[in-house]
Amino acid sequence: MRKDKFIVYILFLFSVIFLGLQVFPGIHVGDSPELIAAANILGNAHPPGYPLYLIIAKLFLFIGSASGIFFVTKSPAFYANFLQVFYGGAALAVIYYLVLFNFNNINVQLKKGQLKNSDNYSRLLAGIFSCSMILSTLVYINQSTVAEVFMLNILFAALLILGVVKKKYSFAGFIFGLGMGKQHTLIVAIPAVLFLFYFESKRWKSFKNFTIWTLIGLSVYLYSPIRAGISPAINWGDPSNLRRFIRVITRADYGTFALHGSSTGLTFGKAVSIVVYFFKRMTDLLTLPGMLAVLAGTVIWLKKNIKFTASMLILMLFSGPLFFLAANMKIDSSGISILERFFLLPVMAAGILAGGLFYLKSKYKYILFLIPLYLMINNFTPSSLKYSVLDKYIRDISHELIKSEPLYITRGGVGDDIVFGLAYLKYAEGKLDGFDIYSEYGSIFPRPEPVKGRASFATFSPKRFSSGKFLPEQKIGGLYQAGLLFKNYYRESIFPEGIDREKWDSLNYRQRNIAVNYPYFRARKYIISGKIKAGLKELEISAGLGKDIPWLLNNIGNIYMNLGKDSQARRYYLKAVELDPGLAEGYNNLGNIFYNSKKWAEAINYYKKAIRVEPDAVRYYNLGLTYMQSGDNRQAVQYFNDALKKDPGYSKTYNDLGLAYYRISDYNNAINSYKKGLKSEPGNPNLLFNLANCYEIAGASGKADRYWRLYLENAVSGDPDRERALWYLKN
C-alpha cells in the first residue's frame, strides 16, 4: 500500500506539470469568463448557479492573488485556469485507486493475503495505463487547462464510483449531493450507481444512507438564495425567493438536457448520425489502437470482475450515446464545439476499461504504453502557443469605450462570449469600473431603457405604389454606445491589425467565430470608403477563416448583394442555410435575391421557408409584397395582416396593405389601413397621398381635398405628384 501512495503522488505531480505547462493564458470562449467573474464577486452564475464551483474558485483566486504563488501573473483568468490543473491531477489519483481496488478483486485478496507479487505489479501498471490513457486525450487536456466546470465534475464522478464500490454509501451520497452543486450532468452516473446497489445485500439501508447524505450535500445550494439576497452584480434568475430558486436550480428556462437553443426534433436519421459521431469522436480521442485496447480490456474485465465492468459500461452508455441523444444537438461545427467537453465521462470509463489488458501475462503488454505516449506528444501544446482571441477582442472593444456614454448590448446581436468577456473585464479585473453597461438579456448586465435611434437590421423604404429596396437581414452589430452602432467600421482604431494569421489554425470554432470579425469589419470599412478591391480581398479572408460559420456567410452575402453581385450573394446565402437550416435570415435574403430578379415563385418559396423557421413581421411583409408584385393582391392582404398581427407597430405595412385593398377595390379597408398608418407616422406623404387618392376614387371628394392639402404641406419640393394633388384641388 505504501507503493500505491508513492505512485499516486508521482502520478499527481506528473499530471500537474504536464497540464500546467499547457494552461490557457487568458480568458477562453464559453462559460469560462462568466464563471471567473461570478466567482470573484461571489455572485450567481448561469443556471443552475454552480455554487460549489464558485466557492472553491473564489478561495483559489483569493489565495493566488494574495500570495502571488505562481509568480508569472496575477490575472484572475490564469489562476482560475490553473485551478483546473489540480482538479485534473486529483481526478487521476482517484481513478488510479478505483482501478487498483477493482483489479482482480483486490479488496478480497488483500484481506486474505493471497495477492502475488506479479498480480500486484500488474494492477499497478493497470492503474498507471488507465490514467495515462485518460490524461493524454485532447478533451482531458483542454478541460484541465481552462476555467470550466467539467474537470471538477470528473473528480466527483470518480469519487462517487469509488465510494460505492468500497461500500462507503454515506460518503458517496454526500459526494453526489455536493457534486450536483457544480454540474447537473453528474446525474448520468446514477444508473451505474444503482446497478452496483442492486448487488448489495443490505441495499435498502445502503440506499437510505446514500439518499440522506445526498440531501445534506445538496445544501450547498443554500449559497444561491443567500448571495441573491444581497443582489450581487451577477445574479442570474435572482433566486432570492423559492419560486425563482427552483427555476434556477432546475434550469427551467433552459431545459434540463438542453445544451443550446439550436436543438431540433430527433428523427431516426439524426439519432443514427449522433451515435455514429459519438463513436467516431471517441476513436479520434483515443486513436484506433486505443479503442481496440478498450474493447479488449472490456472483454478481459468481464471475465474477471463482471459487476464493476458492467457498471463502467453503463456509465459510458448513459454519459455517452444516451446523453448525446437527449441533448439532441446538431452535428455541425457549432454543435460539435459544444458537445466536445461532454466526452470526458465516456473517456474516463473507456480509460478504466482499457486497464483490463494488464490481466494478460504476456510481456508484450508493455507496448500498450506507446498509445498514451503518442497521444501526449501529439496533443501537447505549451501555453506560449495558445492564443486568447476573445481576450484580445474584448480588450479592443474596451479601449474604444467612452466613459461618459453607456454601452448597450442588444438581444441577438452578439453571442455569450462577448457578453461574458465584458463581464470578466468589469467584475474580475475591474478594468471597466465607472463604465455603464446594459444588456437586453438582463442576465449579466441590467436591462436598459429603450435606446432612441437604434438602427434596424431589416427595414424597407416606403414607396407610393411599389415595394422598397430590401436591406438584407444580418446577425451582428449588437453593441451600441449612445444609441449608435458601436462597431463603427469608419474608425481605424477599432480593429487595427487583427490577429496573427499563423495562429488561425489553432483556433476552435467558437474562437474563429470571434476572429472573423477582424477581416470582416475591415472589409466593410474598405467597401464603404470606396476601396472595393481591398474590401473584397478582406472579405474572402474572413470567408476562408469562417467557412463553416453560417451568420458570417449570410452577412458576406449581404455585402455582395449590396454591390449588385447577386450570383456571389446567392452562393453565400445557400451555403449559410446548408450549414444551418434554421437560419431564417438566410432564407429571407435568398427571397430578396429572387425578388430583385422578379422571380416571384422562387422568392415566395424562400420567404415561406424563413417564416416556417421563425415567423416574423418583416418576413410576412416580404411575402405579402411579393404576392402583390406577382398580381395576387388577395394573398398579399392575408400576409400583410399576418405581419401586423406579429407586430402592430411595423408601420410600413399599412401603406402596402392599403394598396393591396385598393387594387381589389376594397376601398373602405384601404382607407382604414392608411389611417392606421398615419397614427404611427403622422405627416407621411405617401400615406396622405394614397388616402386622398382612395377617397377620390370612392367619391368622397370633400375628405379627399382635406388629405390633398395635408399631402402638399408634407411633400418635399420637387415631388412630381404635387401637380396631381393640385389638379384634384382645382377640379
Side-chain angles (χ1 to χ4, degrees):
M1 298 302 290
R2 188 176 299 173
K3 186 182 295 185
D4 292 346
K5 290 183 179 179
F6 176 75
I7 292 176
V8 165
Y9 296 146
I10 295 298
L11 183 64
F12 177 79
L13 183 61
F14 175 79
S15 302
V16 168
I17 294 172
F18 177 72
L19 297 171
L21 292 172
Q22 302 179 75
V23 168
F24 201 74
I27 55 173
H28 198 267
V29 292
D31 300 333
S32 178
E34 181 234 1
L35 290 170
I36 300 170
N40 196 54
I41 63 171
L42 286 178
N44 281 307
H46 65 280
Y50 309 104
L52 179 65
Y53 180 92
L54 299 183
I55 293 168
I56 298 174
K58 173 60 178 178
L59 179 63
F60 197 77
L61 287 171
F62 174 76
I63 294 172
S65 60
S67 62
I69 55 175
F70 296 112
F71 305 108
V72 182
T73 175
K74 290 194 175 182
S75 161
F78 176 84
Y79 290 128
N81 292 342
F82 207 93
L83 174 59
Q84 313 313 306
V85 170
F86 292 112
Y87 291 152
L92 290 174
V94 177
I95 291 168
Y96 175 78
Y97 274 122
L98 187 59
V99 174
L100 260 60
F101 189 80
N102 289 279
F103 192 87
N104 215 20
N105 294 314
I106 197 66
N107 53 322
V108 176
Q109 293 195 39
L110 280 173
K111 289 179 181 178
K112 295 182 177 181
Q114 296 172 353
L115 188 65
K116 299 177 182 178
N117 287 334
S118 59
D119 290 336
N120 188 44
Y121 188 56
S122 294
R123 76 186 185 92
L124 298 180
L125 288 176
I128 295 170
F129 179 72
S130 291
C131 291
S132 299
M133 285 293 293
I134 297 166
L135 173 64
S136 62
T137 59
L138 190 61
V139 65
Y140 200 89
I141 293 170
N142 287 342
Q143 292 303 315
S144 295
T145 53
V146 296
E148 284 277 8
V149 297
F150 301 96
M151 193 47 58
L152 187 57
N153 193 51
I154 291 297
L155 173 58
F156 273 76
L159 285 169
L160 171 62
I161 300 295
L162 182 63
V164 173
V165 298
K166 294 187 73 172
K167 303 184 185 300
K168 305 292 184 181
Y169 299 116
S170 298
F171 169 80
F174 182 69
I175 285 296
F176 177 65
L178 201 60
M180 290 291 285
K182 49 95 197 102
Q183 196 190 32
H184 283 176
T185 55
L186 185 61
I187 203 168
V188 297
I190 287 300
V193 169
L194 293 177
F195 173 81
L196 292 169
F197 267 124
Y198 179 78
F199 294 97
E200 170 60 41
S201 59
K202 299 178 180 178
R203 53 179 172 266
W204 294 117
K205 180 180 179 182
S206 301
F207 186 73
K208 183 182 72 173
N209 290 338
F210 180 89
T211 303
I212 291 171
W213 280 94
T214 293
L215 295 174
I216 294 172
L218 284 169
S219 64
V220 70
Y221 271 106
L222 293 175
Y223 163 95
S224 298
I226 290 171
R227 292 302 299 171
I230 62 171
S231 300
I234 299 177
N235 190 27
W236 282 72
D238 184 20
S240 55
N241 65 40
L242 183 60
R243 183 183 65 83
R244 289 197 296 265
F245 173 67
I246 292 173
R247 290 192 66 81
V248 167
I249 66 172
T250 59
R251 290 170 53 89
D253 297 322
Y254 292 82
T256 304
F257 291 105
L259 305 181
H260 192 263
S262 65
S263 298
T264 56
L266 183 64
T267 62
F268 177 76
K270 185 177 180 183
V272 171
S273 69
I274 289 173
V275 173
V276 169
Y277 162 71
F278 170 78
F279 285 105
K280 182 179 181 299
R281 185 55 184 157
M282 285 290 287
T283 304
D284 291 339
L285 290 168
L286 294 165
T287 72
L288 181 57
M291 280 299 285
L292 293 175
V294 173
L295 291 173
T298 301
V299 172
I300 297 171
W301 267 114
L302 283 169
K303 293 179 179 179
K304 301 289 186 177
N305 192 336
I306 189 170
K307 184 171 70 171
F308 177 69
T309 309
S311 70
M312 288 297 98
L313 289 172
I314 292 170
L315 176 62
M316 185 185 293
L317 176 66
F318 278 86
S319 66
L322 293 182
F323 175 78
F324 281 38
L325 288 169
N328 191 18
M329 290 291 297
K330 290 186 293 185
I331 306 302
D332 57 12
S333 296
S334 176
I336 288 170
S337 70
I338 294 170
L339 288 172
E340 179 72 6
R341 55 219 178 182
F342 293 98
F343 278 94
L344 274 172
L345 271 174
V347 162
M348 182 186 88
I352 290 171
L353 291 172
L357 280 169
F358 283 82
Y359 275 110
L360 295 174
K361 302 299 182 182
S362 172
K363 61 183 179 182
Y364 296 109
K365 61 187 177 184
Y366 306 111
I367 298 175
L368 292 169
F369 280 98
L370 290 176
I371 300 172
L373 179 62
Y374 164 78
L375 284 170
M376 285 183 189
I377 294 171
N378 190 60
N379 293 333
F380 183 83
T381 306
S383 299
S384 59
L385 295 183
K386 294 185 177 182
Y387 187 73
S388 181
V389 64
L390 176 61
D391 202 295
K392 172 178 171 48
Y393 189 77
I394 291 300
R395 293 182 197 281
D396 283 346
I397 289 175
S398 70
H399 294 157
E400 295 301 317
L401 293 180
I402 302 170
K403 206 162 192 177
S404 61
E405 298 177 358
L407 174 68
Y408 298 94
I409 301 170
T410 64
R411 183 178 293 275
V414 297
D416 288 345
D417 293 325
I418 309 300
V419 180
F420 290 173
L422 288 168
Y424 169 81
L425 278 189
K426 185 172 179 68
Y427 300 121
E429 290 195 3
K431 294 290 178 64
L432 296 178
D433 286 346
F435 289 91
D436 293 324
I437 302 177
Y438 299 94
S439 169
E440 289 182 353
Y441 294 99
S443 51
I444 298 290
F445 302 108
R447 296 184 190 277
E449 295 296 323
V451 183
K452 295 181 180 179
R454 184 156 58 220
S456 171
F457 293 122
T459 57
F460 305 87
S461 305
K463 294 288 182 182
R464 189 88 16 97
F465 292 112
S466 63
S467 67
K469 181 181 178 182
F470 293 97
L471 293 180
E473 293 187 87
Q474 58 188 33
K475 274 189 172 180
I476 196 168
L479 295 173
Y480 291 84
Q481 194 163 54
L484 301 174
L485 185 61
F486 176 71
K487 292 175 180 171
N488 187 337
Y489 34 79
Y490 288 108
R491 293 164 66 182
E492 292 279 352
S493 58
I494 290 280
F495 304 117
E497 79 285 347
I499 65 170
D500 185 349
R501 292 180 191 174
E502 292 180 0
K503 294 180 178 177
W504 283 5
D505 291 339
S506 68
L507 303 180
N508 63 27
Y509 177 83
R510 292 185 70 164
Q511 290 170 318
R512 286 188 291 108
N513 235 311
I514 297 166
V516 293
N517 285 299
Y518 288 99
Y520 172 74
F521 276 102
R522 280 198 300 273
R524 292 183 61 174
K525 177 188 68 177
Y526 286 140
I527 289 170
I528 285 181
S529 61
K531 300 175 182 178
I532 305 297
K533 188 175 180 180
L536 293 180
K537 182 179 178 181
E538 290 289 338
L539 210 58
E540 292 306 315
I541 291 172
S542 180
L545 179 59
K547 58 183 178 295
D548 54 349
I549 300 176
W551 71 259
L552 174 71
L553 301 178
N554 176 71
N555 287 11
I556 291 174
N558 295 345
I559 293 176
Y560 275 113
M561 190 171 82
N562 289 334
L563 291 173
K565 300 177 182 292
D566 283 5
S567 61
Q568 291 96 322
R570 183 166 58 183
R571 176 165 59 91
Y572 279 105
Y573 291 146
L574 286 170
K575 182 62 176 174
V577 296
E578 178 189 340
L579 288 168
D580 183 4
L583 187 67
E585 294 86 352
Y587 293 120
N588 181 79
N589 293 336
L590 281 164
N592 293 350
I593 289 284
F594 287 108
Y595 180 96
N596 290 340
S597 304
K598 298 185 179 180
K599 295 180 179 179
W600 312 124
E602 290 90 340
I604 286 169
N605 176 48
Y606 280 112
Y607 288 138
K608 284 185 174 180
K609 284 185 176 181
I611 288 168
R612 280 197 294 271
V613 172
E614 189 178 339
D616 175 270
V618 171
R619 292 156 199 158
Y620 277 121
Y621 173 80
N622 292 355
L623 186 55
L625 214 51
T626 309
Y627 271 115
M628 189 165 68
Q629 291 290 18
S630 70
D632 192 342
N633 289 291
R634 292 191 182 278
Q635 283 279 58
V637 165
Q638 175 189 330
Y639 288 110
F640 285 141
N641 277 315
D642 286 341
L644 290 170
K645 287 177 185 175
K646 278 288 178 184
D647 183 4
Y650 197 66
S651 58
K652 297 174 179 61
T653 309
Y654 292 109
N655 188 60
D656 288 293
L657 175 60
L659 175 57
Y661 279 127
Y662 175 88
R663 288 181 173 176
I664 60 175
S665 302
D666 188 345
Y667 302 122
N668 286 334
N669 275 321
I671 288 168
N672 287 335
S673 296
Y674 293 136
K675 283 184 174 180
K676 287 179 181 178
L678 285 169
K679 287 181 180 179
S680 299
E681 299 181 72
N684 183 306
N686 292 335
L687 289 164
L688 292 168
F689 182 96
N690 291 344
L691 182 56
N693 184 66
C694 207
Y695 273 126
E696 205 67 65
I697 298 296
S701 56
K703 292 181 179 179
D705 287 350
R706 177 191 170 200
Y707 285 102
W708 287 128
R709 291 188 182 92
L710 287 171
Y711 160 73
L712 289 170
E713 290 174 11
N714 289 277
V716 296
S717 59
D719 188 329
D721 286 319
R722 290 178 66 91
E723 294 182 10
R724 184 179 177 184
L726 290 168
W727 183 87
Y728 272 119
L729 287 171
K730 289 177 182 178
N731 291 281

